[in-house]
Amino acid sequence: MALNANDRSIATFTMAAHALVHWFETSIPIFLVVWLAEFDISVALVGFVVTLGYAPFGIGALPGGILADRYGPKRLILGCLLGMSLSFVALAGASLVDSIYAVAIGLILWGITASVYHPAGLALISTGVDDRGTVFAWHGIAGNVGIALGPFVAATLLIVLEWHVVAALLAVPGLVATLYGLQANFDPVATVADDVDASPDEALSLPELLSSTRTLFASAFAIIFVIVAFEGLYYRGMLTYLPEILDGLGAIQGIEIAPALERYDIDPAFYIYVGLLVVGMGGQYAAGKLVDRVAPARGLAASFAILTALALAFVPVTGMGLGPILVLCGVFGFFLFAIQPFYQNAVAVYTGADSRGLSYGYTYLGEFGIGATSIAVGGFVLGISETWFFATIAVFSILGAALSAALLFGLDRLYTGEPTAAGQAMDD
């Protein structure tokens, strides 16, 4: 089914913004190795500085969802695009004062402005798009493009340019997208029923926020929130440590890389990681096309089961040589990102349109906030052994699969008295 004009306009706008959020996000670790050399500081200090940027990115998702309900998602997304771009301009300016603390300020500004995108963007798709599954798919693919291109472009430009020039150049696409967004025209609530008020015309007081939160978590959304948290624990743990694990494999270390990239310790594992992200675009698209045909809980349960098997497969496969490792990474990338359209649609299915921003705010607090704790857990168990690491990651997906299966077989009746019809949103 071809997208109608309103769907196309929302899809283009949100795809550009989603790609750029991850474009900026994944370029930051590339700069990390440069800052270590440029400012002659410890790994602990530069790690703390980068954390100052990433922490607001997760924590700010909930306030971002509240603001999206208050002011409308388009305003929030435009502010996000402009804020992220200016933050990287500020990063470039940090070289003028030659201070890592100026870098910290730029990263904090980036984290705050970037945090509003996911609740605002997904709320816009869920209330404005008719062919939601297809747009969720293309939206996810755009995010993967940003995830893959951000570090790739940053690393490549650093071969010939100084880091502050690269930071300024990375801001240019964000400024262009902001100009495009200012003239984009669409109906943000095109698919909301006439008797549902999803317009951003009333301030949300603290008592109203608490009441809306209680109502939300007294519904089946509470189950979805926990499922997404388990997905976030799996996702963040695997993507944080997989490049390091791959880099330590003998089969990977034997690959030659361009001497120019050795300046910044960019190794073959990095390019395998980028390839994994590219394959993930196929997973996003395939799952997005299934969203309208498969009940959210069924898709989540199947995806978690596959991710469990893949996590456990890494232990034996990593000793089989380069070919099997590349195949496993490709399959892993496909299914790691295939699960995302299912949980994004599940939020739309199990929540009302009038609190969609708040719903996605909590969703991405679980994804990026709770999910980030697996970095600490994963680092601890990886220090014991890789087997323990992959087993721990598999536990997250096993719990996600169990909860998704329970939802599939009627766990939501505890909240609603009757199950929500598969694939039918509450506001349709």
Side-chain angles (χ1 to χ4, degrees):
M1 180 177 69
L3 297 178
N4 60 45
N6 196 66
D7 284 10
R8 284 196 304 272
S9 183
I10 292 176
T12 303
F13 180 51
T14 55
M15 285 171 65
H18 193 207
L20 285 164
V21 167
H22 293 296
W23 160 276
F24 289 118
E25 176 201 9
T26 55
S27 67
I28 292 172
I30 302 300
F31 287 113
L32 184 149
V33 294
V34 182
W35 293 331
L36 276 170
E38 289 290 327
F39 297 105
D40 191 24
I41 55 177
S42 67
V43 175
L45 179 56
V46 77
F48 175 73
V49 167
V50 171
T51 300
L52 290 177
Y54 281 146
F57 183 48
I59 297 170
L62 178 56
I66 296 169
L67 292 173
D69 284 337
R70 170 65 183 93
Y71 295 105
K74 182 177 181 180
R75 290 184 186 178
L76 266 290
I77 295 171
L78 287 172
C80 169
L81 288 169
L82 182 60
M84 291 191 301
S85 303
L86 294 180
S87 297
F88 264 62
V89 172
L91 275 183
S95 66
L96 298 177
V97 295
D98 193 28
S99 171
I100 190 63
Y101 300 106
V103 169
I105 292 172
L107 290 177
I108 291 170
L109 292 174
W110 174 82
I112 292 171
T113 54
S115 68
V116 305
Y117 174 71
H118 284 91
L122 292 168
L124 176 58
I125 293 172
S126 71
T127 59
V129 169
D130 184 55
D131 191 0
R132 194 162 56 205
T134 297
V135 175
F136 273 142
W138 284 109
H139 178 265
I141 289 170
N144 275 43
V145 170
I147 291 173
L149 285 183
F152 179 82
V153 171
T156 303
L157 289 177
L158 283 169
I159 297 173
V160 295
L161 297 172
E162 295 296 325
W163 75 267
H164 60 277
V165 177
V166 176
L169 289 176
L170 291 178
V172 172
L175 296 172
V176 173
T178 303
L179 294 175
Y180 165 76
L182 287 170
Q183 57 82 43
N185 184 33
F186 49 77
D187 180 0
V189 291
T191 62
V192 177
D194 293 337
D195 59 346
V196 176
D197 182 12
S199 58
D201 54 4
E202 288 188 8
L204 190 64
S205 65
L206 180 59
E208 290 171 331
L209 171 61
L210 295 176
S211 176
S212 297
T213 297
R214 283 195 296 268
T215 301
L216 197 59
F217 279 90
S219 72
F221 173 77
I223 306 169
I224 302 300
F225 176 81
V226 179
I227 289 173
V228 172
F230 282 129
E231 190 277 337
L233 289 165
Y234 184 104
Y235 172 92
R236 187 59 74 187
M238 285 293 280
L239 287 191
T240 297
Y241 291 107
L242 189 57
E244 179 181 345
I245 292 170
L246 292 174
D247 188 45
L249 300 177
I252 305 298
Q253 292 177 339
I255 302 174
E256 296 292 333
I257 195 167
L261 293 179
E262 294 180 358
R263 175 186 176 193
Y264 294 122
D265 296 326
I266 297 170
D267 47 55
F270 165 76
Y271 287 96
I272 295 174
Y273 179 73
V274 171
L276 177 157
L277 299 172
V278 172
V279 173
M281 300 177 198
Q284 292 271 12
Y285 182 78
K289 300 303 288 185
L290 290 174
V291 157
D292 294 328
R293 300 177 178 88
V294 177
R298 189 181 303 277
L300 286 167
S303 298
F304 273 122
I306 294 170
L307 290 175
T308 299
L310 291 172
L312 296 175
F314 268 96
V315 176
V317 170
T318 50
M320 294 182 182
L322 182 61
I325 292 171
L326 293 178
V327 171
L328 178 60
C329 285
V331 176
F332 169 73
F334 183 92
F335 285 102
L336 179 67
F337 291 96
I339 194 173
Q340 293 182 358
F342 287 114
Y343 76 68
Q344 290 165 354
N345 189 52
V347 176
V349 167
Y350 288 98
T351 64
D354 55 347
S355 61
R356 198 58 56 75
L358 183 63
S359 303
Y360 281 113
Y362 276 115
T363 297
Y364 280 89
L365 178 62
E367 169 78 6
F368 295 131
I370 296 175
T373 61
S374 67
I375 297 176
V377 174
F380 175 77
V381 295
L382 187 58
I384 301 173
S385 74
E386 289 184 6
T387 299
W388 275 102
F389 171 79
F390 287 114
T392 301
I393 293 296
V395 169
F396 297 142
S397 54
I398 289 170
L399 293 172
L403 200 53
S404 299
L407 183 63
L408 178 64
F409 289 105
L411 183 61
D412 55 311
R413 289 190 182 94
L414 295 176
Y415 295 90
T416 63
E418 59 182 23
T420 303
Q424 297 296 314
M426 293 173 65
D427 55 294
D428 287 350

